[in-house]
Amino acid sequence: MDRLNQKLIEKLKKSGERITPIRRALIENFCNHPKPQTPQELLTNLEKKGLMANKTTVYRQLEILVQIGIIQEINFSDRSKRYELSSKDHHHHLVCQNCKKVEDINLDNDLDRQEKKIWKKNHFKVLQHSLEFFGLCNRCQ
Amino acid sequence: MDRLNQKLIEKLKKSGERITPIRRALIENFCNHPKPQTPQELLTNLEKKGLMANKTTVYRQLEILVQIGIIQEINFSDRSKRYELSSKDHHHHLVCQNCKKVEDINLDNDLDRQEKKIWKKNHFKVLQHSLEFFGLCNRCQ
DNA sequence: GGATAATTTGCAACTAAGTTGCACTAGAGT
DNA sequence: ACTCTAGTGCAACTTAGTTGCAAATTATCC
Ligand SMILES: [Mn+2]
Ligand SMILES: [Mn+2]
Ligand SMILES: [Zn+2]
Ligand SMILES: [Zn+2]
């Protein structure tokens, strides 16, 4: 966990970005929270750690961290986007509509096959996809 | 096309809703435009037909039409949600990132299988999912 | 057709997410 | 320590969507 933290800071540095308290805190936060977070939630979490950041800054940092590939954007069809550490294995989510718990799920081979089919059938070149499942977790049924 | 129109008006009426010019126009619009539209686009399209509607009204009608099941909400991860006629066969979309063209695509058996697997493995009851593909259409590659 | 009651509509004011320009601050290399 | 550039905060703005309420419209009953 702390190793990951260091590794990501290195990655930031190598991309030519400066290491600032806010960036450090954001990365640390992402390393410790597996659940995809909204900018608003991030802002609150930073405050809890005693760092009064500005929302403009958070939005700007999120954009940069996405570009570098440290985090990724996820869409749960609510008002605002969410962000989580980008993992090596591309995955999707099971979102409980009741308790809001989020589970990771991995079914990538299948999606790859789909995209190849799409290429053959529709001559459409898929560059990315979004897939999320909504329902009830084992506790909430 | 015109038959469909009538059928949907009937469905509205049976659900206890009144038939108003705006509702008529909205349904007609959905019948004639296959592409998923934003509330803003809908508003503009109604205006083109000479119907000056209010945005509040459009938002309220969209909510009702979704509840009745006449239209469905789609999320292309942009700023605003989109709406299209709900078809009998649940489907997904290929969205061209260049020309914004939208193609329908049907791969439901596979998703059903996935959801059964998810049930067995994670004990998560999937109630709905969102899946959209983004990339380049045959013309734009 | 006209009165009535309940829906629907429009308006204005509001919330919430996100963006922009600009002046000020603070990292990193010398 | 100095300098230059990148990062930050603030205020003002945009855009999507929501809410309360008064006025207009629809369906129903006579
Ligand atoms: Mn995840
Ligand atoms: Mn469609
Ligand atoms: Zn749950
Ligand atoms: Zn295209």
Side-chain angles (χ1 to χ4, degrees), chain A residues 12 35 55-56 62 64 69 82 101 109 114 121 127:
Chain A
L12 244 190
K35 187 177 166 181
K55 74 170 175 172
T56 311
L62 288 174
I64 290 171
R82 286 163 194 275
K101 198 182 78 168
N109 297 348
Q114 293 297 346
K121 237 180 132 180
L127 299 176

Side-chain angles (χ1 to χ4, degrees), chain A residues 35-112:
Chain A
K35 187 177 166 181
Q37 294 163 88
T38 63
Q40 203 33 254
E41 287 168 346
L42 283 162
L43 216 38
T44 319
N45 286 347
L46 292 204
E47 267 187 48
K48 277 181 197 161
K49 289 185 194 168
L51 217 165
M52 270 292 283
N54 181 275
K55 74 170 175 172
T56 311
T57 306
V58 169
Y59 280 110
R60 283 195 279 230
Q61 289 318 316
L62 288 174
E63 204 187 330
I64 290 171
L65 293 178
V66 166
Q67 253 154 26
I68 295 177
I70 290 179
I71 60 171
Q72 60 186 324
E73 200 181 282
I74 308 169
N75 214 301
F76 286 174
S77 304
D78 359 47
R79 289 301 232 78
S80 89
K81 300 192 166 166
R82 286 163 194 275
Y83 298 85
E84 71 171 1
L85 229 46
S86 45
S87 54
K88 212 173 295 170
D89 53 332
H90 174 79
H91 65 273
H92 303 94
H93 298 96
L94 308 177
V95 184
C96 179
Q97 290 174 333
N98 183 241
C99 71
K100 313 298 175 199
K101 198 182 78 168
V102 179
E103 273 177 82
D104 286 348
I105 185 167
N106 202 311
L107 34 84
D108 233 9
N109 297 348
D110 296 277
L111 261 289
D112 274 356

Side-chain angles (χ1 to χ4, degrees), chain B:
Chain B
M1 277 283 168
D2 222 28
R3 277 271 72 96
L4 177 57
N5 209 314
Q6 274 309 312
K7 218 179 120 189
L8 294 177
I9 302 254
E10 281 311 309
K11 196 169 180 181
L12 244 191
K13 213 180 277 184
K14 273 177 197 152
S15 307
E17 310 293 326
R18 295 180 176 177
I19 307 308
T20 69
I22 288 182
R23 277 180 179 158
R24 235 181 247 286
L26 275 172
I27 287 186
E28 197 184 310
N29 179 286
F30 279 120
C31 287
N32 297 337
H33 291 256
K35 186 177 167 181
Q37 293 163 90
T38 63
Q40 203 33 254
E41 286 169 348
L42 283 161
L43 217 39
T44 319
N45 287 346
L46 292 203
E47 267 186 49
K48 278 181 196 159
K49 288 185 193 168
L51 217 164
M52 270 292 283
N54 181 276
K55 75 169 174 171
T56 312
T57 306
V58 169
Y59 279 110
R60 283 194 280 230
Q61 288 319 316
L62 289 174
E63 205 187 330
I64 291 171
L65 293 178
V66 166
Q67 253 153 25
I68 295 177
I70 290 179
I71 61 172
Q72 60 186 324
E73 199 180 283
I74 307 169
N75 214 302
F76 284 174
S77 304
D78 10 36
R79 292 300 234 82
S80 91
K81 300 193 166 167
R82 286 162 195 275
Y83 299 86
E84 71 172 0
L85 229 45
S86 43
S87 54
K88 212 172 295 169
D89 53 333
H90 174 79
H91 65 273
H92 303 95
H93 299 96
L94 307 178
V95 184
C96 179
Q97 290 174 332
N98 183 241
C99 71
K100 312 298 174 198
K101 198 182 78 166
V102 179
E103 272 176 82
D104 286 348
I105 186 167
N106 202 311
L107 35 84
D108 232 11
N109 298 349
D110 296 278
L111 260 290
D112 274 358
R113 257 195 290 117
Q114 293 297 347
E115 294 182 2
K116 272 171 199 154
K117 268 194 211 166
I118 290 173
W119 173 241
K120 278 186 190 164
K121 238 180 132 180
N122 306 65
H123 297 280
F124 184 100
K125 186 85 202 150
V126 175
L127 299 176
Q128 42 172 311
H129 61 246
S130 76
L131 170 58
E132 316 296 338
F133 298 92
F134 307 96
L136 294 171
C137 74
N138 50 357
R139 285 200 190 170
C140 291
Q141 303 171 34

